[in-house]
Amino acid sequence: MDLANYVPSAFTSLLKNATELITFAYDVPFARAVVFGVHIGGHLFVEGLLLVVIIFLLSQKSYKPPKRPLTKKEIDELCDEWVPESLIPPVTEEMKREVPVLLSAAGPHTIINGKKVVNFASANYLGLMGHEKLLQLHNLLPLSFHVDVHLDCETRIAEFLGTPDSILYSYGLSTMFSAIPAFCKKGDIIVVDEGVHWGIQNGLYLSRSTIVYFKHNDMQSLRSTLEKVTQDNKRAKKLRRYIVVEAVYQNSGQIAPLDEIIQLKEKYKFRVLLDESNSFGVLGKSGRGLTEHFHVPVDKIDIITASMGHALASEGGFCTGSHRVVDHQRLSSSGYVFSASLPPYLASAAIAAIDVIEENPQLITMLRDNSKILSTGLLGIQGLELASDIMSPLVFLRLKKSTGSLKSDLQLLEDLADRGKCQTFDLKVLPAVCIVGLYGTTHKRFLKMMQLQVLKEHSVFVTTSKRSIVDKCNLPVGIRIYVSAAHTESDLQKACESLKTVAASLFTD
Amino acid sequence: MITIPYLTALTTYFSYGLLFAFGQLRDLFRKFIDWWKASNLQGYAPICLGLEDFYIRRLYLRIQDCFGRPISSPPDAWFDVVERVSNDYNKTLKRTTKVSRCLNLGSYNYLGFAAADEYCTPRVTETLQRYSASTCSTRVEGGSTALHVELEQVVADFVGKPAAMVTGMGYVTNSAILPVLVRHGGLIISDSLNHNSIVNGARGSGATIRVFQHNTPSHLERVLREQIAEGQPRTHRPWKKIIVVVEGIYSMEGELCKLPEIVSICKKYKAYVYLDEAHSIGAVGKTGRGVCELLGVDTADVDIMMGTFTKSFGSCGGYIAGSKELIQYLKYTCPAHLYATSISPPAAQQIISAIKVILGEDGSSRGAQKLAQIRENSNYFRSELQKMGFEVLGDNDSPVMPIMLYNPAKIPAFSRECLKQNVAVVTVAFPATPLLLARARICISAAHTREDMVKALEVISRVGDMVGIKYFPAEPKKPELEEGRKKVE
């Protein structure tokens, strides 16, 4: 009974004592002081104390483990221990292989190792190499600054294509990889075909834009990609959007369907960048390229680039478009600003070549007929299939049976190697040991073998497609045959027959 | 190091600020006018966003007539400059048929091969007839002629390395080689004033890039030590390989690289050296073999030597020289070799003939004469300019001499006044140089005679006084000896 009463009463007395103390603190004499007309209550001291405590805690440094930079001795040790990789990986047998050396101009017939061969390895589409008009050049001096021949060449090209202006670059490869970074910056969106060549890939990488690939020459895939990209980026008013395609793809010989691309472009408001290296002077009734082939007005394409090392039998490249496009490149395209210009005689050669094309439109029909003959002639070839378009001057043959397993490829190669030993040519016989490598490497060796055999036995010079290690393209490798308007019917027949014979002998399974 | 006087810096900033303000004002008016007129973009984003080409539209176009002047004759010591007129305040320029004969102080024609040469030109013509202007094909396909093989051998011997590889353009050589040598996981340390082609090649490779102060070997050592100790960013794994990229002669400064120190540092830290001799091959050194010969560095210590043929050899193209295995590997993997058209055969013949002339293998001593001439010319010109009080950059023996202008208004003033007196100079401004440091770059050639140089000096001195670029006090002329006094023996 006492305990039950004791606790509450002790509690109440404690409480009473506390309140008395507090009121006493409040009533302390100077607590009621009036300083500068402001009443200071005792509670201010409690708050003041609290503030002091807070400031004290905040000013304490938080605990960080002490920073100990590396001492000189430790850095010396690390530098001594570090072993760099060698500059290049060990050189393999393939790398030591030599390329065939020509002893005369690379026209439709050329001389290799003292033997006359039919040349299907130069992109001399209209046979203009060795034309007298191109060889009568007035200024032969290679060095140049900004010679007026260049300006004449630029106006001539613009006139020929029907565009307002054009700009000349000194090298075909640098045209694309300088033009793209001049217009595409970080944050822009570029939709590009997966089969474009290295120049374009490098330009895209340097531009730091967002890159989206679509399936090679597949318009369905392009449509769905454009749809997806537009959906994802609704706020795309200030965003520049580009589609980059090639007219005739270097890696497969297919022709891009420009009319469908233009429809898609207008629907989704993208700009088009077209690389016409293999189609300038080739497609279209008078050789004006893909736009003429598909009857599309040339001002619908924003930027057209091309290399002059193909149909025009010269060197260098050009880019053409509206005045704004061309003038912008004169100061911001690095391949134009920071390098020397084209040797004048090459610019004169290009002008002469365009004159020849305008005067002789029958060259283009001859080329078209030749490519048709060759493509149809190679349709029945064993083991290989035609990957390129019938109209394209670049005939591309890839392996029909891409045998899924590496083992069967190896088996095939072993057989070939054995067969190779019996033949009378001085090939370095491929060792049939483990060819560890990509799917492409096995095929590359196989195709190389075929190429050499065709050259040695039948005197027909074709090439295989090469891939650099920095190239991201995944299209299959194959044999590339460049048709020229200067090839005669007998040359083409010879090529068809020799390729068929060699393929038949190598693919007897 | 360029030290700009304070007053000049102030006035330069003020000038640029004024130009910028005017440009913005005009852009504002343009915006109003465009808003008034219907736009023809139809829903597309504009191809050049507002500020990207501001510099071109508002600053460069005003003085466009100083750049890109067309010429109508080979760029020898004297050449013909085509005159241009403009009806709309320099927005567009039209060529006229009038030409004026001017002294050429702007072409990189160091040994005088740009003009018709008695040994080279007949051979080039013959090659053109035989091999035609282009091979239309890549080196690995159908583009390797006997000429290309010979060229590579000749270049390798000239430079002093076992093997060499030649491409059709110097810019592409750098952009295509660096991605092959170094990939992700490697480190590229490059000089802060390296050429744009090296910068592009390094960016395209995917490796990490670090910069060291221009031509300062001690800073290079510090950067190397730091980087090796730290390793790759974020993961701190050790670097796969480190490549240090330097140039022989820096084209905007005219300075020689401090090669012996840099090579010894790289050897100590096991980094690879990549030397870009675009301007120095053929122009410096006793027999013209470049900066290695001049500074006494053994070519076996430099791992990769690169150069171009545009400057001293009167041709086009670039080369890479190194060990045999390196060249074999590069020929197998480098995109410039696999995808690009091979160098034009007449240009290749020009290089071969030029190298033969330089080495004296054509039977005359013209090569040695040319080399001595260019050295003498550069030293004379530079010392005279410095005596007159100009601020000239560059080391002795280097044929490139930039004269500092700084102020943006002095660029067109200097250029136009010199052209009026028939001397053609090249002025360089942003973006090739930093914004404040605009300059006029003079390139001396072996084809310049003493009279040419005296005339050039007179004109430059007069124009310099008019424009006000003699930033240093001129040296007082020595008092002439009185006539009649005999020398005391």
Side-chain angles (χ1 to χ4, degrees):
Chain A
M1 273 307 171
D2 263 332
L3 206 63
N5 285 336
Y6 177 68
V7 168
S9 66
F11 187 64
T12 42
S13 64
L14 198 65
L15 207 60
K16 219 189 281 175
N17 282 344
T19 42
E20 275 179 23
L21 201 64
I22 290 171
T23 41
F24 179 66
Y26 276 178
D27 288 337
V28 162
F30 56 84
R32 281 276 164 83
V34 177
V35 181
F36 302 125
V38 176
H39 285 269
I40 295 188
H43 60 98
L44 279 180
F45 276 98
V46 176
E47 284 156 11
L49 197 64
L50 204 56
L51 202 65
V52 168
V53 168
I54 291 175
I55 291 178
F56 177 69
L57 283 176
L58 279 178
S59 65
Q60 288 290 311
K61 277 201 195 131
S62 59
Y63 175 69
K64 269 198 203 113
K67 244 196 229 174
R68 292 185 317 166
L70 297 169
T71 63
K72 194 165 172 302
K73 188 154 157 297
E74 283 169 346
I75 298 183
D76 283 335
E77 273 173 31
L78 280 168
C79 293
D80 286 332
E81 273 172 18
W82 178 66
V83 173
E85 269 181 17
S86 74
L87 191 58
I88 45 169
V91 175
T92 61
E93 280 297 319
E94 247 184 77
M95 296 186 195
K96 292 197 199 154
R97 201 170 285 155
E98 312 238 326
V99 284
V101 172
L102 280 73
L103 293 170
S104 76
H109 295 265
T110 180
I111 305 177
I112 296 183
N113 283 342
K115 234 177 19 160
K116 223 173 174 228
V117 297
V118 184
N119 182 13
F120 283 100
S122 303
N124 171 22
Y125 295 135
L126 297 173
L128 290 176
M129 200 187 295
H131 199 273
E132 336 67 64
K133 244 190 155 182
L134 271 74
L135 295 182
Q136 285 166 10
L137 299 171
H138 302 293
N139 27 14
L140 281 179
L141 294 142
L143 187 61
S144 70
F145 221 59
H146 195 143
V147 186
D148 55 356
V149 180
H150 295 156
L151 300 174
D152 290 335
C153 189
E154 288 173 3
T155 31
R156 189 78 180 82
I157 293 174
E159 220 181 277
F160 180 67
L161 281 177
T163 53
D165 205 357
S166 71
I167 180 175
L168 212 63
Y169 283 87
S170 50
Y171 208 45
L173 194 64
S174 73
T175 315
M176 250 318 185
F177 80 62
S178 311
I180 295 184
F183 293 109
C184 311
K185 306 281 193 265
K186 190 164 183 162
D188 296 336
I189 299 185
I190 309 185
V191 175
V192 65
D193 189 301
E194 63 181 8
V196 289
H197 63 79
W198 178 80
I200 299 181
Q201 287 172 19
N202 198 26
L204 295 171
Y205 185 73
L206 285 174
S207 69
R208 300 187 199 211
S209 323
T210 328
I211 302 168
V212 183
Y213 287 100
F214 67 91
K215 287 214 193 59
H216 182 58
N217 221 13
D218 183 354
M219 290 299 113
Q220 261 318 98
S221 167
L222 175 60
R223 186 172 296 131
S224 49
T225 320
L226 289 175
E227 188 69 54
K228 193 155 109 33
V229 160
T230 338
Q231 287 293 335
D232 289 342
N233 291 293
K234 284 280 182 193
R235 50 150 187 94
K237 275 299 142 87
K238 276 243 163 154
L239 214 56
R240 288 177 291 198
R241 292 155 289 177
Y242 293 94
I243 301 178
V244 179
V245 283
E246 285 184 53
V248 174
Y249 289 94
Q250 183 79 13
N251 285 325
S252 73
Q254 301 216 353
I255 300 185
L258 193 63
D259 44 359
E260 291 178 43
I261 295 180
I262 295 288
Q263 275 174 5
L264 287 170
K265 159 203 150 127
E266 288 182 338
K267 182 170 167 207
Y268 292 99
K269 304 281 189 226
F270 272 63
R271 289 186 194 264
V272 172
L273 241 136
L274 185 64
D275 182 53
E276 290 223 45
S277 302
N278 285 317
S279 70
F280 181 78
V282 168
L283 292 180
K285 214 160 38 144
S286 57
R288 286 180 166 73
L290 198 66
T291 46
E292 199 185 8
H293 184 74
F294 281 104
H295 306 288
V296 168
V298 76
D299 52 358
K300 291 226 169 174
I301 313 278
D302 300 278
I303 304 172
I304 299 181
T305 61
S307 153
M308 302 199 292
H310 297 262
L312 289 181
S314 173
E315 284 209 22
F318 66 84
C319 177
T320 170
S322 64
H323 281 291
R324 192 87 192 273
V325 161
V326 166
D327 286 335
H328 182 73
Q329 282 181 58
R330 287 198 200 273
L331 255 203
S332 33
S333 164
S334 32
Y336 182 80
V337 171
F338 291 109
S339 69
S341 43
L342 194 61
Y345 71 95
L346 290 171
S348 323
I351 299 180
I354 296 185
D355 290 334
V356 169
I357 295 179
E358 280 205 319
E359 287 163 20
N360 306 352
Q362 74 271 17
L363 287 171
I364 300 167
T365 34
M366 274 164 67
L367 173 64
R368 199 166 312 148
D369 295 334
N370 281 358
S371 16
K372 274 209 192 96
I373 295 175
L374 193 65
S375 307
T376 42
L378 287 172
L379 273 177
I381 195 170
Q382 208 173 5
L384 297 170
E385 64 178 355
L386 202 66
S388 60
D389 207 279
I390 300 245
M391 301 268 273
S392 121
L394 207 174
V395 175
F396 199 87
L397 295 166
R398 61 162 182 243
L399 285 172
K400 202 185 275 184
K401 276 196 310 172
S402 43
T403 49
S405 72
L406 205 54
K407 223 174 169 186
S408 48
D409 284 342
L410 276 172
Q411 196 58 38
L412 197 65
L413 274 158
E414 264 194 63
D415 293 340
L416 289 171
D418 285 337
R419 203 103 54 78
K421 283 195 196 115
C422 307
Q423 302 269 4
T424 54
F425 47 81
D426 49 332
L427 243 195
K428 281 204 184 87
V429 171
L430 296 170
V433 291
C434 202
I435 304 171
V436 176
L438 296 173
Y439 182 82
T441 322
T442 320
H443 288 182
K444 262 196 270 187
R445 290 194 184 192
F446 179 73
L447 293 165
K448 186 82 197 172
M449 178 136 196
M450 183 161 171
Q451 177 214 0
L452 286 166
Q453 198 169 350
V454 161
L455 177 63
K456 294 261 184 321
E457 297 185 345
H458 300 267
S459 302
V460 172
F461 187 29
V462 298
T463 71
T464 55
S465 61
K466 310 283 187 301
R467 287 288 156 73
S468 162
I469 51 170
V470 290
D471 194 345
K472 292 197 241 318
C473 177
N474 278 329
L475 294 185
V477 292
I479 294 197
R480 230 185 257 165
I481 308 171
Y482 292 98
V483 184
S484 162
H487 283 135
T488 58
E489 182 107 18
S490 57
D491 291 334
L492 300 169
Q493 298 289 4
K494 186 171 179 198
C496 290
E497 278 162 23
S498 39
L499 280 166
K500 281 193 170 145
T501 342
V502 172
S505 71
L506 289 176
F507 278 101
T508 51
D509 52 317
Chain B
M1 294 304 290
I2 306 172
T3 45
I4 176 173
Y6 280 123
L7 191 62
T8 321
L10 214 62
T11 50
T12 315
Y13 273 127
F14 177 70
S15 314
Y16 274 114
L18 203 64
L19 285 166
F20 185 76
F22 264 102
Q24 291 286 34
L25 198 66
R26 291 179 72 180
D27 272 351
L28 199 67
F29 281 119
R30 170 61 46 190
K31 222 193 277 187
F32 281 142
I33 295 176
D34 276 346
W35 177 72
W36 203 255
K37 279 201 301 209
S39 134
N40 59 352
L41 280 175
Q42 297 156 355
Y44 289 92
I47 207 162
C48 305
L49 298 177
L51 279 179
E52 269 173 21
D53 59 346
F54 177 79
Y55 180 80
I56 303 176
R57 276 178 300 122
R58 299 302 175 203
L59 274 74
Y60 174 78
L61 279 185
R62 285 166 178 261
I63 51 174
Q64 211 195 137
D65 62 313
C66 302
F67 305 104
R69 293 190 183 127
I71 63 179
S72 65
S73 76
D76 198 15
W78 286 84
F79 64 166
D80 297 324
V81 176
V82 175
E83 290 176 12
R84 297 186 288 180
V85 289
S86 167
N87 297 332
D88 51 0
Y89 301 108
N90 270 356
K91 213 162 160 205
T92 52
L93 293 161
K94 284 201 214 337
R95 284 185 279 161
T96 61
T97 45
K98 284 197 294 173
V99 291
S100 51
R101 191 119 187 112
C102 297
L103 179 64
N104 182 3
L105 289 180
S107 299
Y108 312 127
N109 176 19
Y110 297 143
L111 293 178
F113 280 112
D117 190 75
E118 58 199 13
Y119 182 78
C120 303
T121 315
R123 286 180 172 68
V124 170
T125 327
E126 190 215 316
T127 313
L128 180 65
Q129 303 295 332
R130 186 167 169 211
Y131 284 104
S132 98
S134 158
T135 56
C136 284
S137 152
T138 68
R139 281 296 300 276
V140 285
E141 293 183 351
S144 291
T145 59
L147 206 59
H148 291 98
V149 175
E150 189 194 338
L151 173 63
E152 289 185 344
Q153 193 53 45
V154 166
V155 166
D157 289 335
F158 183 68
V159 165
K161 282 277 192 184
M165 177 178 109
V166 170
T167 56
M169 182 179 164
Y171 188 95
V172 163
T173 318
N174 271 331
S175 309
I177 295 285
L178 282 170
V180 166
L181 287 177
V182 197
R183 317 286 293 284
H184 185 70
L187 175 67
I188 298 182
I189 303 184
S190 89
D191 192 292
S192 60
L193 294 175
N194 265 341
H195 190 252
N196 187 273
S197 57
I198 300 177
V199 171
N200 261 350
R203 283 206 197 134
S205 67
T208 320
I209 307 173
R210 291 278 177 267
V211 164
F212 71 94
Q213 260 173 36
H214 175 62
N215 236 358
T216 322
S218 55
H219 192 239
L220 171 64
E221 181 161 12
R222 229 173 334 149
V223 169
L224 265 170
R225 285 167 67 84
E226 225 178 83
Q227 289 302 317
I228 297 179
E230 258 187 43
Q232 296 188 23
R234 291 173 62 231
T235 54
H236 296 288
R237 289 201 192 107
W239 294 106
K240 291 207 179 124
K241 48 181 116 138
I242 299 187
I243 296 193
V244 175
V245 182
V246 286
E247 285 189 36
I249 290 185
Y250 291 93
S251 56
M252 287 299 160
E253 278 75 34
E255 283 177 359
L256 291 163
C257 158
K258 293 197 179 125
L259 199 58
E261 292 94 344
I262 292 183
V263 165
S264 63
I265 291 177
C266 289
K267 260 193 170 150
K268 183 170 160 203
Y269 292 97
K270 297 174 262 184
Y272 299 110
V273 180
Y274 182 105
L275 179 64
D276 179 338
E277 289 208 82
H279 284 263
S280 52
I281 188 79
V284 294
K286 211 156 45 137
T287 56
R289 283 168 210 257
V291 118
C292 288
E293 191 186 10
L294 185 69
L295 299 175
V297 173
D298 188 12
T299 50
D301 287 336
V302 178
D303 301 288
I304 310 150
M305 292 174 68
M306 176 261 170
T308 61
F309 300 118
T310 337
K311 281 90 186 177
S312 314
F313 299 97
S315 179
C316 65
Y319 69 88
I320 294 259
S323 64
K324 235 186 159 96
E325 291 80 28
L326 175 71
I327 300 297
Q328 270 171 354
Y329 177 70
L330 286 176
K331 282 191 177 171
Y332 184 69
T333 52
C334 170
H337 199 249
L338 299 177
Y339 298 133
T341 327
S342 54
I343 185 175
S344 166
Q349 180 63 42
Q350 165 78 17
I351 303 168
I352 298 177
S353 319
I355 292 185
K356 288 213 171 96
V357 170
I358 293 177
L359 292 176
E361 286 172 16
D362 62 329
S364 71
S365 64
R366 276 191 315 138
Q369 268 175 13
K370 281 184 200 270
L371 286 164
Q373 182 80 22
I374 187 177
R375 205 181 8 248
E376 203 189 296
N377 282 359
S378 353
N379 288 338
Y380 171 71
F381 207 81
R382 181 177 266 115
S383 57
E384 287 296 313
L385 281 176
Q386 276 170 340
K387 275 193 216 155
M388 282 196 252
F390 288 101
E391 184 170 351
V392 183
L393 308 176
D395 297 334
N396 270 334
D397 278 356
S398 139
V400 178
M401 33 201 108
I403 303 179
M404 296 307 296
L405 296 171
Y406 297 122
N407 211 299
K410 298 189 183 175
I411 305 170
F414 188 76
S415 178
R416 287 172 192 158
E417 287 300 319
C418 282
L419 190 63
K420 272 194 212 151
Q421 312 198 14
N422 285 349
V423 169
V425 291
V426 167
T427 45
V428 195
F430 189 78
T433 60
L435 190 66
L436 290 183
L437 306 173
R439 59 201 78 175
R441 184 174 65 176
I442 302 207
C443 297
I444 289 292
S445 133
H448 286 133
T449 58
R450 196 40 93 94
E451 294 87 36
D452 294 336
M453 289 200 288
V454 164
K455 171 176 172 24
L457 283 166
E458 259 177 65
V459 168
I460 292 180
S461 177
R462 234 179 319 180
V463 175
D465 280 328
M466 213 188 310
V467 170
I469 49 178
K470 291 192 177 170
Y471 293 109
F472 291 149
E475 269 183 32
K477 284 208 185 61
K478 292 203 182 69
E480 308 256 348
L481 285 174
E482 283 173 21
E483 281 188 327
R485 266 217 198 158
K486 282 203 215 122
K487 251 209 300 202
V488 178
E489 297 278 335

